[in-house]
Amino acid sequence: MIWDPYNECMDVEQRARLQVWRLRETVARLKANVPFYRERFRDIDLEPEDIRSLEDLEHLPFTTKDDLRDNYPYGLFAVPLEEVVRVHASSGTTGKPTVVGYTAEDIDLWAECMARSIGCAGGTPHDILQVSYGYGLFTGGLGLHFGGERMGCTVIPMSSGNTERQLMMMRDLGTTILACTPSYALTIADTARDLGISADELKLKSGIFGAEPWSEGSRKAVEEMLGLSAHDIYGLSEVLGPGVSNECEAKNGLHVFDDHFIPEIIDPATGKRLPDGEPGELVFTCITKRCLPLIRYRTRDVSTLTHEICSCGRTHPRMGRIRGRTDDMLIIRGVNVFPSQIEHVLLGIEEAQPHYQLVVRREGRLDVLEVQVEVAGELFSDTVRRLEEVERKIAHALYTALGITVQVKLVEPKTLARSEGKAKRVLDLREGV
Ligand code: DLL
């Protein structure tokens, strides 16, 4: 279902005119209300009228997570606090969280974007939406919740955790759409299997999974185990929360709702904009937000963009599945490694289960990457030779994909910690990292 055909299928040129107009208006507002941006614009002699086309966006300064931290907690808000009706927060890399604010208009915009997202995932007002993202400062729970209500779904505000109860409600209330992190979806699927609940006993048709990187392999596993069609949803608190982009039924990239957030891909080293198809750092400019309209916000997420029109009829550009973050990219003996690449490999291996952890150590002067992966319990009752064979097979597949040697350690089922929210995949034990 296309929730808002007028805006989602708008002629691209018409949308570009709208974007330029909105960008100019946002710059004017920031200049008037936010000292940080006033100074940045003064430094480059920028007046709102100078913005005449989308190309001019490239001359605007970037905003980073450090800028948010330096102006903690409210310094970048473009409206007085009395107009702010809600705050959320995401964990910062050090100490203080990043605090973001919303006016009533922003909350309304968010619900609209989320209704678009749910529509992309095949949702309609007839659906029963179980929201199993955490409720609270994290944007996942309330974001999906308000979007579901806007769509007209029957919303079950479960929040995350208590997996058996999740399954009971899912079965009893006839949940048709499940929204949670992909790693929690796997946990739910595993628990269903343990309890002997088959996909046929559930009415699930669709899943809206995001907030952390995941792979095609995870998609397949979750789709099979839960009997649903899994859709990737992306977003970040600084820009909105969930609902910045979402996969449609074509599952060929996530539609970025660029009438509100203009995406760019840049080379993280030089800051130069990259052409369609080339991977780089995602950058967003908010052109409709009232409280926190960030300009060229550097997400540190690595992706690609395409402006080719999708078969679903939406004319928004599409971003590729997030490949990792510029800051959780591991550099192992000089080679860039993203945890998502490893996940992709593991899920292509029959004996491997979709639960893994990466441990990085320094032995002498050498970085060592150990991949711990769960395998079926039966394997442990086999011969040692069989276990070694599987280890070698995984190490070889990883070597082919990454170009480095990794240590593989097979562990028994349910040894690695299960996730109810964002999974923590990497344990970096190197000093100074
Ligand atoms: O994770 C918002 C969200 C909630 C998105 C629910 C989707 C569903 P933050 O906590 O601020 O906001 O974290 C944002 O999470 O910069 C990415 O690194 C990562 N991320 C979000 N969605 C995806 C995704 C929410 N689909 C950070 N794939 C982002 C990979 C994702 N990574």
Side-chain angles (χ1 to χ4, degrees):
M1 172 187 182
I2 300 187
W3 168 253
D4 180 358
Y6 177 77
N7 282 304
E8 292 177 70
C9 306
M10 185 180 275
D11 172 72
V12 174
E13 310 252 299
Q14 188 189 346
R15 189 184 289 125
R17 283 194 294 277
L18 183 68
Q19 288 171 316
V20 171
W21 186 83
R22 287 179 168 174
L23 176 60
R24 199 181 303 147
E25 191 270 339
T26 303
V27 166
R29 242 171 348 102
L30 287 171
K31 183 176 173 218
N33 300 332
V34 183
F36 167 84
Y37 278 118
R38 191 178 310 136
E39 272 171 40
R40 290 276 174 109
F41 296 157
R42 193 193 300 133
D43 290 346
I44 55 165
D45 250 342
L46 177 91
E47 293 297 331
E49 310 78 74
D50 298 337
I51 294 167
R52 291 189 201 89
S53 77
L54 284 179
E55 269 67 63
D56 295 323
L57 179 61
E58 239 183 309
H59 307 306
L60 300 194
F62 291 115
T63 311
T64 64
K65 193 136 184 145
D66 285 342
D67 296 327
L68 281 161
R69 192 174 310 132
D70 294 345
N71 291 282
Y72 176 84
Y74 301 137
L76 295 188
F77 285 14
V79 294
L81 265 188
E82 73 228 42
E83 288 179 32
V84 178
V85 298
R86 174 130 40 104
V87 291
H88 279 281
S90 68
S91 46
T93 36
T94 49
K96 299 277 191 206
T98 304
V99 173
V100 298
Y102 305 77
T103 65
E105 250 180 277
D106 292 333
I107 295 286
D108 188 66
L109 156 77
W110 191 7
E112 279 295 312
C113 288
M114 272 310 312
R116 288 188 195 182
S117 285
I118 295 168
C120 276
T124 72
H126 301 288
D127 279 300
I128 302 179
L129 171 69
Q130 182 158 335
V131 180
S132 306
Y133 286 108
Y135 279 63
L137 287 174
F138 175 53
T139 50
L142 285 170
L144 267 290
H145 183 105
F146 276 66
E149 288 190 352
R150 177 63 54 96
M151 166 63 80
C153 300
T154 307
V155 177
I156 312 176
M158 283 301 290
S159 198
S160 60
N162 202 342
T163 311
E164 291 192 14
R165 197 172 150 82
Q166 298 268 359
L167 280 158
M168 179 185 80
M169 296 297 264
M170 200 178 286
R171 187 160 56 177
D172 294 355
L173 302 190
T175 301
T176 55
I177 304 182
L178 171 65
C180 60
T181 59
S183 57
Y184 192 43
L186 278 170
T187 305
I188 294 177
D190 274 352
T191 310
R193 195 175 42 199
D194 292 349
L195 297 174
I197 301 173
S198 71
D200 303 342
E201 287 173 69
L202 304 171
K203 295 212 173 66
L204 291 173
K205 68 168 199 197
S206 175
I208 305 180
F209 303 138
E212 64 185 4
W214 54 309
S215 64
E216 282 307 311
S218 289
R219 165 155 30 220
K220 237 177 100 220
V222 147
E223 287 188 334
E224 272 170 26
M225 290 165 87
L226 290 175
L228 49 71
S229 168
H231 297 260
D232 196 1
I233 181 169
Y234 170 85
L236 64 167
S237 323
E238 297 89 319
V239 172
L240 179 78
V244 172
S245 66
N246 210 96
E247 264 180 343
C248 66
E249 67 272 16
K251 296 189 184 168
N252 189 12
L254 294 82
H255 289 284
V256 180
F257 304 132
D258 66 331
D259 45 336
H260 299 295
F261 320 103
I262 305 178
E264 298 171 87
I265 294 281
I266 61 158
D267 176 333
T270 63
K272 286 268 168 284
R273 198 187 277 182
L274 294 174
D276 270 14
E278 270 192 45
E281 181 178 348
L282 251 181
V283 169
F284 287 103
T285 299
C286 306
I287 51 172
T288 49
K289 283 202 21 219
R290 309 310 293 177
C291 179
L292 193 60
L294 298 180
I295 299 290
R296 304 194 85 197
Y297 184 68
R298 293 186 59 159
T299 63
R300 298 184 179 178
D301 291 323
V302 179
S303 183
T304 51
L305 270 182
T306 173
H307 287 79
E308 264 174 39
I309 304 295
C310 180
S311 56
C312 74
R314 292 176 181 83
T315 53
H316 294 297
R318 281 165 292 154
M319 52 180 260
R321 182 184 271 296
I322 300 286
R323 300 169 179 219
R325 290 177 57 79
T326 54
D327 52 1
D328 78 8
M329 181 179 79
L330 294 165
I331 304 184
I332 309 287
R333 302 193 288 276
V335 177
N336 297 350
V337 176
F338 288 111
S340 56
Q341 287 173 290
I342 296 180
E343 170 166 329
H344 184 73
V345 171
L346 291 178
L347 288 161
I349 290 180
E350 203 192 323
E351 292 87 350
Q353 312 258 313
H355 302 288
Y356 66 95
Q357 172 142 52
L358 312 180
V359 183
V360 192
R361 281 190 302 270
R362 188 157 286 155
E363 284 178 7
R365 285 217 235 134
L366 215 56
D367 293 330
V368 175
L369 171 62
E370 180 179 276
V371 177
Q372 302 178 348
V373 55
E374 287 186 11
V375 289
E378 300 90 78
L379 216 58
F380 284 90
S381 46
D382 257 334
T383 57
V384 175
R385 226 183 74 215
R386 172 85 181 106
L387 276 175
E388 284 173 354
E389 233 173 67
V390 175
E391 265 173 16
R392 265 201 305 276
K393 176 172 162 185
I394 296 178
H396 179 74
L398 286 170
Y399 178 75
T400 311
L402 310 174
I404 54 164
T405 312
V406 302
Q407 293 180 0
V408 175
K409 183 174 173 194
L410 304 183
V411 298
E412 298 205 37
K414 304 212 171 79
T415 339
L416 301 175
R418 290 294 184 265
S419 132
E420 293 180 350
K422 298 191 191 224
K424 187 152 176 25
R425 302 286 194 196
V426 183
L427 196 62
D428 202 331
L429 305 174
R430 291 175 294 183
E431 257 171 50
V433 177

